[in-house]
Amino acid sequence: MRTPAHCERLLKRHPNLFMSFKTHRHSSRITQALDHGRLRAGWLNLVRLFPKRFVMGSDQFYQTPQSPLRFPDSMLGALAILRSLPPDLTALVGRKNPAALFRGTGG
């Protein structure tokens, strides 16, 4: 289960681990980052503990019209998370951390 407590243990144990948020409604309630469009306190605290280790994920899934499972627009969840963060963390999670990660500089 990808709870904030479990993720904290993993982040402490693995200094090269980065995380993104899972926001779609088909995940277990205990692992969801959002509650009524706001970032849950446990996840916010985790980002505060590891501010340079989080990035926004924006995976989009597309199915045929016959597919029984529909995935919501993940950008809505990503925007809700970014709006829930204080400005300094928004800049890190939304822009600076991915830039550093994909440049290979590690922060």
Side-chain angles (χ1 to χ4, degrees):
M1 299 296 281
R2 192 172 180 233
T3 63
H6 180 67
C7 290
E8 181 177 353
R9 287 189 298 272
L10 290 172
L11 287 162
K12 283 179 178 176
R13 191 177 313 145
H14 304 284
N16 64 339
L17 179 64
F18 284 76
M19 292 193 170
S20 64
F21 292 98
K22 186 174 187 179
T23 61
H24 67 76
R25 66 174 190 238
H26 297 291
S27 59
S28 167
R29 176 151 168 72
I30 196 169
T31 65
Q32 290 177 1
L34 293 172
D35 185 27
H36 296 12
R38 300 289 301 165
L39 188 60
R40 290 174 182 263
W43 289 104
L44 179 56
N45 292 335
L46 191 60
V47 176
R48 285 183 173 137
L49 283 172
F50 301 95
K52 293 190 174 191
R53 309 272 292 282
F54 279 88
V55 298
M56 285 307 312
S58 61
D59 295 350
Q60 244 352 112
F61 300 94
Y62 301 93
Q63 299 92 8
T64 65
Q66 297 79 21
S67 177
L69 185 60
R70 294 280 174 243
F71 291 94
D73 183 351
S74 66
M75 289 307 297
L76 297 176
L79 290 172
I81 287 172
L82 290 173
R83 287 186 192 116
S84 297
L85 294 170
D88 60 324
L89 293 179
T90 299
L92 284 170
V93 173
R95 184 173 39 92
K96 293 178 182 179
N97 292 348
L101 179 65
F102 290 110
R103 267 193 304 246
T105 63

